[in-house]
Amino acid sequence: MKWKQIPLGQLQTNCYLIIDENNSCLIVDPGDNPKKLTSIIEQHELKPEAILLTHAHFDHIGAVDRIRDKYAIKVYIHERERDWLADPALNGSRHFMMKEMITARPAENLITDEGEMSIGNFSFSVYETPGHSPGSISIYFPDDNFVLAGDALFHGSIGRTDLPGGNHNQLIKSIHDRLLVLPEETEVLPGHGPSTTIGYEMDTNPFLNGF
C-alpha cells in the first residue's frame, strides 16, 4: 500500500491518496482544487473507490462534491458530523468569513463506531479521536504502518480546539488513548504539514510532555 500527500487550497490542507497494488485508491480529505487533484489521479491512472473524511471542517471538504461526481464514488464521515457538510456555521467557513460558504451534499455512508472497516480491497481500522471536532477520526493501516490523523496530531503540534465542538482536554485524551498507543515507528500523516512518527512526537512534541 502506498500513499501520496497532496496539499490543497489556501490552507494547504493535506489530501491523501491511498493506493493499492491494482492502482485503486481511497481519497482522504479532498479539501480544494478539484482540477489539481483530478489531474494527479489521471496522471497516475488511479481508480478512486471512495472518499473518506477525517472530519468536516471546510478546508477538508471543499472538493468533495466535484470529486464524488467526477468518479461516481461515495463519501464516508463520522455520524457526529453528518450535518456539518451542509452547514457553514458548523464546518467553519462562516467562522472565517469567507467570500463563499463551503458546503457539500450529505455523505452516503456514516461511520458509527470504532473498529475494522473495509472498502473494496482496502482494510483499515477507524479510531474516534475527537477534540479538534466532535466527529474527528483517525484511519490506521497496521500492515503498512501509517495512520491518517486528520487535525488531531501534527509534527510538533496538535489540533486547535477553539472551533465549534472543540475540546482541548478531549483532544489530549484522544491522542493519548488512540494514537500514542500505536507502535512508535508508525508514520503519522497529518491534515497539515509534514509527516512524522508516533515515537518522534512522544519524545519531542511540547504539547505531549509527560506522555
Side-chain angles (χ1 to χ4, degrees):
M1 198 82 67
K2 300 181 294 183
W3 58 268
K4 183 172 182 61
Q5 183 192 79
I6 308 168
L8 299 173
Q10 291 185 348
L11 299 184
Q12 291 292 277
T13 302
N14 290 330
C15 173
Y16 292 95
L17 302 177
I18 311 302
I19 307 165
D20 73 6
E21 64 276 7
N22 299 313
N23 261 18
S24 293
C25 72
L26 299 177
I27 303 171
V28 181
D29 291 352
D32 204 347
N33 304 126
K35 289 184 178 179
K36 175 182 177 180
L37 180 54
T38 298
S39 176
I40 292 171
I41 290 170
E42 302 299 326
Q43 175 187 345
H44 292 277
E45 299 182 337
L46 302 178
K47 298 169 285 188
E49 296 276 334
I51 294 172
L52 284 171
L53 299 175
T54 62
H55 63 295
H57 281 149
F58 70 94
D59 56 316
H60 292 252
I61 67 170
V64 162
D65 281 349
R66 283 162 288 184
I67 295 299
R68 163 168 43 189
D69 292 343
K70 168 75 174 177
Y71 297 106
I73 55 179
K74 296 180 178 180
V75 176
Y76 291 75
I77 193 171
H78 196 280
E79 65 173 350
R80 291 195 191 103
E81 295 182 13
R82 63 187 303 167
D83 298 326
W84 287 42
L85 294 170
D87 190 338
L90 291 173
N91 68 42
S93 56
R94 179 170 296 164
H95 175 81
F96 283 88
M97 300 179 67
M98 303 176 68
K99 293 181 180 179
E100 180 182 355
M101 299 294 102
I102 304 299
T103 62
R105 302 193 307 273
E108 289 85 0
N109 295 284
L110 299 177
I111 297 169
T112 60
D113 204 353
E114 297 182 310
E116 301 299 315
M117 185 171 168
S118 294
I119 299 175
N121 292 325
F122 295 90
S123 295
F124 48 90
S125 296
V126 171
Y127 296 129
E128 295 176 340
T129 47
H132 175 67
S133 69
S136 288
I137 61 170
S138 294
I139 305 162
Y140 178 45
F141 288 80
D143 293 340
D144 301 282
N145 208 32
F146 65 86
V147 61
L148 296 120
D151 286 0
L153 179 62
F154 301 124
H155 185 286
S157 189
I158 61 173
R160 61 188 297 175
T161 56
D162 59 339
L163 298 174
N167 184 304
H168 178 80
N169 290 337
Q170 187 180 46
L171 177 59
I172 293 295
K173 179 174 173 56
S174 292
I175 294 171
H176 181 269
D177 292 350
R178 293 293 183 266
L179 296 177
L180 298 189
V181 296
L182 300 177
E184 292 189 20
E185 64 272 17
T186 302
E187 194 159 18
V188 179
L189 310 184
H192 301 269
S195 63
T196 183
T197 66
I198 293 295
Y200 183 84
E201 297 310 311
M202 290 175 69
D203 291 342
T204 66
N205 192 310
F207 295 91
L208 306 180
N209 285 340
F211 286 174

